Amino acid sequence: MILDNFKFASDRNKFTRGEIYLNDDYSINHGNAAGREFFANISNTSICELAQPSVKAEFKTFLDELPKNGKGRIITILNDRYDEAHLMDISASWFMLSEPHYKLKITDICSIYECFDRDTESLWKYRIFLSMMQDYLFDYDCTSGMLSIYYYLGNRSMRFFYNSLDDFQAILVNDAGSDEKLAETAVSICKRIKNCTMDFEDTIVSGFLSKNHEQQKFKVHARFNNSDNFSPKVHGMITLLSDNEDELPYFMTKSGMDSATGLLNKRALIEYTRKILSNSNPDTDSHYMILIDIDNFKNINDTYGHAVGDKAISIVANAISDSLMNLGMAGRYGGDEFYIFTEDINDEESLRYLLRNIRGYVLDRAKDQLDIENLTLSMGISKYPELGTSYEDLLEYADRAVYIAKEKGKNRYIIYRPEMHDRKPASSAKGGRIMTNYDEESRIMNEAIKNLFLKKADKIAEDVRRIRKAFDLDCIDIYFRDSAANADAGAAMKLRYSSGTYAGMLKAETFLSSPKYMELFDDNGLNILGSHLNLKLCAPEVYAALDKVGCMTLIQKVKFGDDSEPEFFISFCKMNRSQKWSNAEINYLTMYSDLIYEVLKKER
């Protein structure tokens, strides 16, 4: 589509969607309220004349070729009554009941995003309302004959029953037993649902909602919805009329909710997790258990007061709920600790996306609402079935991972991996955490350093890979000039060793060619970044390169030759996560950088 230079619509004729009806010659006959407001006093005008010149022929051809009794769709540009242009998504169909001949559903693409935001806000509001109610909902698809019964828990829809309406009727009739009146009522309810009765209400007694299949009395209220935008369905609500809360699982009751956050409490979380695990297949299913601690929460309370501390807890709870949506269940595990158990996240990339969303939400809201710059989280993750199939096994490894995150400097997430993190555990007196008496990072680094001293050059590539995994890095790149002569001739550095998914994506020249960026290195040639936001002003070209690949955290070391030209450059990078480096990480990686430089220098 070729767009002319046209003036976009202003706020004086805001339009989202509407309907108009056309005569056989494409002139406008009438429309609904939105359509009439949009086109106003231009009835009997051909709609083709309202199209922008560059799309007029295409639009007319679309209408000419619209199949009889069929439908079509096109994106084009129409002018409103103020001669201002709107980019329109138009669904057209034949209107055969009487004159006129065409029905057009018109949506303004530019304004639909604003409408989407409003609808999303409303959606979440009603999900919260539904989560506060202890009622079941259902919908019957009139086309497929399938009935879905579900409830809302933690703002998430949980499907309880999905089968044909005939099967549901058989369950109700079977529960009625010898009581013919109850059986007749059950058949009557299902018949009215199947016949799409506009609005009805009735009561029935059955045990299908009880975990012990004990008889319960409930009210059924249903309404038929035949909107043009959706397939015809019957929607309804099932309300328990007797005091049946004792029959429900604890996590579905109001007692299972944490009053401060609206999330599940610890007991409910444990019960829910065990229920999901008991129904999971280790050969096909995948779950993540995530433990979350607010970093330095005691300091927040001491510095800003308990009211701010309570608000911080609320911000974290909202961040988790808004980010998780329908991917799992979340709750407050106790104090400043939170818990997530995922059901619909099957790969690590999706998991990392979720965790980054939670952290970004918390940082933004804390800064805006509390004026706190450093509200950060430490998160530990274990995976089913790789690390266990029980709640207790997964909790142990998730708890270890949180401790490792704290040990590494906080403000990070650790996905527990046995090959990286398995250590001999010893009980700790502090907070029940798992302490360690063997440091995997130290062991890997000691072996790598030993290989350098023994001049085992063939081991360097493998050592780089192991260091990357031990320190939870996404990539390590090592650049070196082959000789002093080449350096004098202005030869570029060569990538000597590289490891990781993003290996080699950020060239040494990206950093070394920026004088402003080089000023960030200290007298020892070391540069450490916990984020790169400050680069936007001082070195925008480097900022753009880092932002493009999502590099947020790095340690870099540069060495200069006798001619003051860089001859060695090493970069340790973490992608898509803004984290602090611990002193141990900085010392280990800096020491290894110095040693590998000496080895490479002697080799040339």
Side-chain angles (χ1 to χ4, degrees):
M1 180 190 298
I2 300 174
L3 302 181
D4 295 333
N5 292 324
F6 61 89
K7 182 172 64 173
F8 284 99
S10 63
D11 287 342
R12 62 179 172 175
N13 197 16
K14 272 199 167 185
F15 175 81
T16 301
R17 57 171 67 94
E19 294 179 358
I20 59 171
Y21 296 81
L22 306 181
N23 297 313
D24 193 33
D25 61 355
Y26 307 145
S27 60
I28 299 172
N29 184 290
H30 69 281
N32 65 2
R36 291 195 303 271
E37 174 66 21
F38 180 73
F39 292 107
N41 299 318
I42 51 178
S43 296
N44 298 320
T45 301
S46 171
I47 194 170
C48 297
E49 295 302 316
L50 302 177
Q52 283 284 312
S54 60
V55 297
K56 185 179 297 184
E58 178 189 40
F59 184 46
K60 185 176 185 304
T61 301
F62 163 75
L63 294 174
D64 290 340
E65 296 178 353
L66 189 68
K68 290 189 176 182
N69 301 322
K71 297 181 179 180
R73 191 170 187 177
I74 190 173
I75 293 178
T76 192
I77 306 169
L78 298 181
N79 288 347
D80 61 19
R81 65 181 187 221
Y82 299 109
D83 202 30
E84 293 181 342
H86 297 252
L87 186 61
M88 296 293 198
D89 180 354
I90 300 178
S91 295
S93 60
W94 275 67
F95 191 74
M96 300 297 295
L97 297 179
S98 62
E99 299 287 351
H101 292 281
Y102 301 94
K103 175 182 179 181
L104 270 57
K105 296 181 181 178
I106 302 178
T107 303
D108 190 327
I109 294 177
C110 295
S111 64
I112 200 66
Y113 294 105
E114 181 181 344
C115 180
F116 174 79
D117 288 340
R118 291 197 307 269
D119 290 346
T120 301
E121 183 178 357
S122 297
L123 173 66
W124 278 103
K125 177 178 68 176
Y126 289 115
R127 281 183 173 178
I128 292 172
F129 292 157
L130 291 170
S131 296
M132 297 167 66
M133 300 166 60
Q134 297 301 309
D135 294 323
Y136 288 79
L137 307 171
F138 72 87
D139 59 65
Y140 171 70
D141 190 318
C142 302
T143 304
S144 67
M146 299 301 289
L147 179 74
S148 297
I149 303 177
Y150 48 95
Y151 59 92
Y152 273 83
L153 182 62
N155 304 342
R156 182 189 179 201
S157 171
M158 310 286 291
R159 191 157 66 182
F160 177 82
F161 176 91
Y162 181 68
N163 217 320
S164 69
L165 182 61
D166 292 338
D167 287 337
F168 180 64
Q169 177 177 308
I171 292 173
L172 296 182
V173 172
N174 181 68
D175 286 349
S178 59
D179 192 326
E180 294 183 1
K181 186 176 181 180
L182 285 180
E184 289 175 0
T185 303
V187 172
S188 174
I189 288 175
C190 294
K191 184 177 180 179
R192 280 181 282 179
I193 292 175
K194 183 177 290 187
N195 292 340
C196 300
T197 302
M198 185 57 66
D199 196 342
F200 73 89
E201 189 174 296
D202 211 333
T203 58
I204 190 65
V205 176
S206 177
F208 84 100
L209 287 180
S210 169
K211 63 180 179 181
N212 299 320
H213 211 79
E214 296 179 4
Q215 297 290 76
Q216 298 172 310
K217 186 177 182 181
F218 55 87
K219 180 176 69 175
V220 178
H221 185 193
R223 181 173 297 170
F224 176 56
N225 175 24
N226 191 26
S227 169
D228 289 343
N229 297 319
F230 308 100
S231 59
K233 286 186 178 182
V234 176
H235 301 288
M237 181 175 293
I238 301 173
T239 304
L240 299 177
L241 296 179
S242 57
D243 187 11
N244 295 304
E245 185 162 294
D246 290 340
E247 300 295 330
L248 298 174
Y250 179 74
F251 62 81
M252 289 178 56
T253 68
K254 293 181 180 179
S255 301
M257 297 292 175
D258 174 65
S259 59
T261 62
L263 302 178
L264 295 185
N265 60 31
K266 183 175 182 178
R267 175 186 163 188
L269 288 167
I270 295 172
E271 181 183 303
Y272 177 83
T273 303
R274 285 176 173 159
K275 180 181 185 298
I276 298 300
L277 289 174
S278 68
N279 295 323
S280 295
N281 184 342
D283 295 328
T284 58
D285 296 330
S286 177
H287 305 290
Y288 291 98
M289 180 185 288
I290 307 167
L291 292 182
I292 303 174
D293 272 8
I294 300 178
D295 294 328
N296 306 313
F297 185 70
K298 184 178 182 301
N299 291 341
I300 293 175
N301 276 334
D302 293 344
T303 303
Y304 301 99
H306 288 278
V308 174
D310 291 343
K311 183 62 177 177
I313 287 175
S314 178
I315 286 174
V316 174
N318 291 335
I320 293 171
S321 180
D322 288 355
S323 301
L324 185 63
M325 293 190 288
N326 64 341
L327 299 176
M329 193 55 61
R332 186 181 181 189
Y333 205 63
D336 62 324
E337 294 183 307
F338 294 84
Y339 175 105
I340 297 173
F341 191 77
T342 71
E343 291 184 60
D344 295 321
I345 296 180
N346 300 315
D347 60 89
E348 196 167 293
E349 181 180 353
S350 299
L351 172 70
R352 291 180 182 273
Y353 181 80
L354 166 66
L355 300 177
R356 291 195 298 269
N357 273 359
I358 293 173
R359 295 175 61 202
Y361 184 114
V362 170
L363 286 172
D364 290 344
R365 292 298 175 89
K367 185 176 180 180
D368 292 343
Q369 299 180 15
L370 303 179
D371 199 26
I372 295 178
E373 297 280 349
N374 59 342
L375 183 61
T376 61
L377 307 174
S378 293
M379 298 184 268
I381 302 95
S382 60
K383 186 179 182 182
Y384 167 96
E386 284 83 344
L387 294 177
T389 56
S390 70
Y391 164 80
E392 289 77 13
D393 288 343
L394 294 172
L395 180 67
E396 177 184 352
Y397 287 109
D399 197 52
R400 289 192 195 186
V402 172
Y403 175 77
I404 295 169
K406 296 283 189 182
E407 190 181 46
K408 285 178 173 289
K410 306 177 183 178
N411 190 23
R412 66 192 65 211
Y413 57 82
I414 297 294
I415 303 171
Y416 197 91
R417 306 183 197 282
E419 68 273 15
M420 291 173 54
H421 304 119
D422 267 359
R423 309 165 184 180
K424 297 178 182 179
S427 297
S428 166
K430 295 180 66 177
R433 293 290 184 203
I434 301 295
M435 298 295 289
T436 59
N437 57 14
Y438 191 73
D439 192 331
E440 182 70 5
E441 294 173 355
S442 298
R443 184 180 68 80
I444 295 294
M445 189 59 74
N446 286 337
E447 290 182 7
I449 291 172
K450 181 180 178 181
N451 288 334
L452 289 176
F453 275 115
L454 294 177
K455 299 181 180 179
K456 294 183 178 181
D458 58 319
K459 297 285 187 180
I460 293 179
E462 176 64 17
D463 286 339
V464 168
R465 185 188 68 82
R466 295 173 67 199
I467 289 171
R468 177 178 60 81
K469 289 191 172 183
F471 285 81
D472 193 25
L473 304 171
D474 287 294
C475 64
I476 300 177
D477 291 331
I478 303 174
Y479 289 84
F480 201 80
R481 295 187 192 274
D482 286 337
S483 66
N486 284 339
D488 291 339
M493 287 186 176
K494 292 184 178 180
L495 185 62
R496 293 292 298 270
Y497 298 99
S498 188
S499 176
T501 305
Y502 299 87
M505 291 186 67
L506 291 167
K507 308 298 183 184
E509 289 77 9
T510 300
F511 306 98
L512 303 182
S513 61
S514 171
K516 289 292 186 181
Y517 184 80
M518 293 303 295
E519 292 178 1
L520 299 177
F521 286 83
D522 62 20
D523 293 339
N524 296 315
L526 182 66
N527 180 30
I528 302 169
L529 288 180
S531 71
H532 63 261
L533 298 180
N534 60 314
L535 295 179
K536 201 167 186 178
L537 293 176
C538 69
E541 67 282 1
V542 177
Y543 169 85
L546 292 172
D547 188 61
K548 183 177 181 180
V549 298
C551 179
M552 297 292 292
T553 309
L554 54 83
I555 293 178
Q556 294 177 331
K557 183 86 172 179
V558 65
K559 294 281 188 176
F560 294 92
D562 295 337
D563 55 359
S564 298
E565 287 290 323
E567 67 176 0
F568 171 83
F569 181 78
I570 186 169
S571 186
F572 305 94
C573 295
K574 294 185 179 184
M575 303 295 183
N576 302 309
R577 44 202 166 126
S578 178
Q579 299 179 356
K580 295 179 181 178
W581 294 95
S582 68
N583 290 332
E585 288 175 315
I586 295 171
N587 292 337
Y588 277 137
L589 297 178
T590 302
M591 179 172 57
Y592 186 72
S593 301
D594 290 334
L595 289 172
I596 201 169
Y597 165 70
E598 295 299 330
V599 171
L600 293 177
K601 187 176 182 180
K602 290 178 181 178
E603 278 187 354
R604 71 180 187 185

